[in-house]
């Protein structure tokens, strides 16, 4: 079974600064997907960024980027120019494609607070 | 386009009562999922379905039953509610990974359930 570990239960960052959230995972698979989800106080689950394990290039979406280290099984999220609207819970998630449900395995989350 | 709709949004039950949570999606997705979210635990898969008439157990299935009589609906039932089932419940739906462009799963807005 896959496991996803987020070692930082809470973090804070000053507005306009950069913050990095950590995620490690454990799997014996070679082909898989990794995701970061954002959950604001509204409770919505919002996809922030995705990474396919077969791609060496790190994914980037505007102010959000990842550092994917496949050998180290590490998938960190960097948020640049932090904004007040970035305040939320952030979940790292793993998916193994193939026969079956394509279910997501989530980490326990990191609560990020952006300070004005 | 409503996406994934969960009914109800909030509910309070007494121990031993039964209830059904309804999830409806209008995206013609084959796959549907029920998760529960507890503080400090992230999202954990309860049950899932890979098509109409099929269901399977996830990580934490005990105390829950599900049915997928129609492709667009996925019902989660609590036969005899217990305080340990106090949680926020999320439904999600998806296409197979080879078919989706960016979103691995589309989430509903959650149901907050309290068992007294």
């Amino acid at each position: 079974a896959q496991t996803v570990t987020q070692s930082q239960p809470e973090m804070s960052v000053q507005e306009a600064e950069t913050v990095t959230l950590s995620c490690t995972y454990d799997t014996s698979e070679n082909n898989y997907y990794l995701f970061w989800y954002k959950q604001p106080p509204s409770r919505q689950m919002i996809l922030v960024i995705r990474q396919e394990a077969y791609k060496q290039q790190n994914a980037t979406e505007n102010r959000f980027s990842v550092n994917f280290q496949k050998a180290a099984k590490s998938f960190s999220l960097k948020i640049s120019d932090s904004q007040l609207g970035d305040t939320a819970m952030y979940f790292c998630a793993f998916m193994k494609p193939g026969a079956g449900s394509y279910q997501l395995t989530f980490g326990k989350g990191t609560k990020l607070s952006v300070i004005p | 386009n409503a996406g994934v709709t969960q009914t109800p949004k909030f509910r309070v039950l007494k121990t031993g009562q039964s209830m059904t949570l309804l999830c409806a999606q209008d995206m013609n997705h084959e796959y549907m999922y029920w998760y529960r979210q507890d503080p400090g635990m992230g999202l954990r898969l309860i049950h899932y379905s890979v098509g109409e008439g099929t269901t399977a157990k996830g990580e934490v299935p005990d105390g829950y039953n599900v049915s997928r009589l129609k492709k667009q609906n996925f019902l989660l039932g609590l036969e005899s509610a217990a305080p340990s089932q106090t949680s926020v419940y999320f439904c999600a739906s998806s296409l197979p990974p080879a078919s989706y462009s960016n979103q691995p799963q589309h989430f509903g807005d959650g149901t907050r359930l309290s068992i007294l």
Side-chain angles (χ1 to χ4, degrees):
Chain A
Q2 285 70 227
T3 59
V4 178
T5 302
Q6 293 179 248
S7 58
Q8 305 149 315
E10 292 192 39
M11 294 189 72
S12 61
V13 62
Q14 291 290 137
E15 193 175 6
E17 296 296 309
T18 295
V19 64
T20 298
L21 309 183
S22 300
C23 173
T24 57
Y25 57 94
D26 185 24
T27 184
S28 58
E29 302 293 332
N30 189 51
N31 182 30
Y32 49 87
Y33 298 84
L34 294 163
F35 309 92
W36 278 99
Y37 277 88
K38 170 185 177 182
Q39 187 182 44
S42 67
R43 218 165 58 194
Q44 284 181 291
M45 291 292 290
I46 302 167
L47 180 66
V48 175
I49 200 164
R50 60 176 274 172
Q51 175 81 41
E52 290 86 348
Y54 64 86
K55 292 186 178 179
Q56 292 186 336
Q57 186 173 7
N58 290 324
T60 299
E61 289 287 343
N62 301 313
R63 297 183 295 108
F64 299 88
S65 61
V66 298
N67 183 5
F68 174 49
Q69 301 289 328
K70 190 173 183 179
K73 297 180 182 176
S74 172
F75 183 59
S76 61
L77 175 70
K78 185 171 80 171
I79 306 174
S80 304
D81 185 25
S82 296
Q83 300 176 359
L84 297 178
D86 295 334
T87 292
M89 284 290 293
Y90 286 83
F91 293 98
C92 179
F94 173 101
M95 176 190 284
K96 178 183 76 68
S101 69
Y102 309 107
Q103 60 188 263
L104 289 165
T105 300
F106 288 88
K108 294 183 177 182
T110 296
K111 183 177 182 181
L112 177 67
S113 299
V114 179
I115 303 167
Chain B
N1 190 347
V4 178
T5 303
Q6 292 184 231
T7 308
K9 297 191 183 306
F10 303 96
R11 185 73 183 268
V12 178
L13 289 178
K14 294 182 179 179
T15 298
Q17 287 184 318
S18 63
M19 80 159 296
T20 300
L21 279 63
L22 172 62
C23 176
Q25 53 95 3
D26 60 3
M27 296 171 284
N28 202 34
H29 286 171
E30 288 291 335
Y31 299 80
M32 296 188 75
Y33 314 82
W34 276 107
Y35 294 90
R36 62 177 288 174
Q37 182 181 17
D38 302 298
M41 293 298 294
L43 278 76
R44 293 180 294 170
L45 184 68
I46 304 171
H47 286 279
Y48 63 93
S49 169
V50 300
E52 182 178 322
T54 72
T55 63
K57 294 179 180 180
E59 179 185 355
V60 289
D62 293 343
Y64 305 95
N65 57 75
V66 289
S67 64
R68 184 96 182 269
L69 298 180
K70 294 182 179 181
K71 185 178 183 179
Q72 63 268 33
N73 296 336
F74 194 29
L75 279 61
L76 178 70
L78 286 72
E79 290 187 348
S80 180
S84 61
Q85 294 177 303
T86 293
S87 188
V88 178
Y89 291 85
F90 284 94
C91 177
S93 70
S94 74
L95 294 167
S99 304
Y100 64 73
S101 58
N102 193 40
Q103 287 275 8
Q105 292 181 13
H106 296 253
F107 284 86
D109 291 337
T111 295
R112 182 174 294 279
L113 183 61
S114 295
I115 316 292
L116 305 179

